Amino acid sequence: MTQTTTEQQMEPASSPAENSTALDNSIMFLSTSIADVQGTIRHLDAKVNYLMVVLATPFLKLEAIYQKCLFLLNLSNSWLVWTYAVLISGFALSWALASWTSLQALAAIDNPEKRVSGDRPGGIFYAATLFKLRFIDAFFNRRVESEYESRAHLKAIPETQAEIQSELALEHMKLVFIRCIKLHRVRYAYWFCRAWIALGGVLWLSWLHFK
């Protein structure tokens, strides 16, 4: 026991230079990861934009789609009518769900810091509370002043590496939440879109068969 204690006492303590290097590595890692997550978010937004173009195509052929669906619902066989009623309902529902989840994927997430649990730093990187906007600000350019003076904002900016590390860690967690929720919604949007296309194909082939 005495020998073990002596060996522990003889172990060299971490020097300030080593601590500084560790903080530098941590800050570099967080900065790189933040940039990667931001790139993924932009890529997901681009995919959703393309998907929404596809989902908007029915508006160009709305009358033709309605006429084809009405034709299938007016068949003489009651069993076929009920079958196509279910398929048409699924076709419309899958389109609506795909459109909704796509819009939700593009929607802005206000202050994702609220999703981060535990003790948090001031959040100066995102500075969500710096300006408070109202409903009218969506339409007009009013004179909106910051909630804090420039000196107070400057004072809140982190100076030490440990403070910068803490702020970057918080920003990283917020961006990861945004990426995860967008990816989750995009996944379901594409799933509903595939179902919509498959059901539409079945209805179109059925119309070709019975017309």
Side-chain angles (χ1 to χ4, degrees), residues 118-168:
D119 296 332
R120 302 186 296 266
I124 190 66
F125 193 100
Y126 186 70
T129 60
L130 188 57
F131 292 95
K132 288 187 178 179
L133 303 177
R134 299 182 180 180
F135 175 76
I136 194 173
D137 293 313
F139 307 97
F140 304 101
N141 292 325
R142 298 189 309 121
R143 179 184 173 88
V144 180
E145 294 185 354
S146 61
E147 295 294 312
Y148 311 105
E149 295 182 354
S150 58
R151 288 185 179 181
H153 183 68
L154 180 61
K155 188 176 181 181
I157 296 176
E159 297 178 348
T160 65
Q161 287 182 315
E163 291 175 343
I164 294 173
Q165 180 193 40
S166 180
E167 290 286 347
L168 289 177

Side-chain angles (χ1 to χ4, degrees), residues 7-73:
E7 290 177 353
Q8 292 176 349
Q9 292 176 350
M10 293 177 61
E11 291 180 356
S14 299
S15 64
E18 292 176 346
N19 291 334
S20 178
T21 302
L23 285 172
D24 287 339
N25 293 336
S26 177
I27 290 172
M28 183 179 297
F29 171 81
L30 287 170
S31 300
T32 304
S33 182
I34 286 172
D36 180 75
V37 174
Q38 288 174 334
T40 303
I41 291 173
R42 286 191 291 269
H43 178 67
L44 290 173
D45 287 341
K47 291 181 68 175
V48 174
N49 286 328
Y50 291 128
L51 181 61
M52 292 191 69
V53 171
V54 175
L55 292 171
T57 54
F59 291 104
L60 302 176
K61 299 288 184 179
L62 195 58
E63 184 178 357
I65 294 173
Y66 173 77
Q67 293 297 333
K68 289 178 174 61
C69 292
L70 189 63
F71 174 83
L72 293 174
L73 292 176

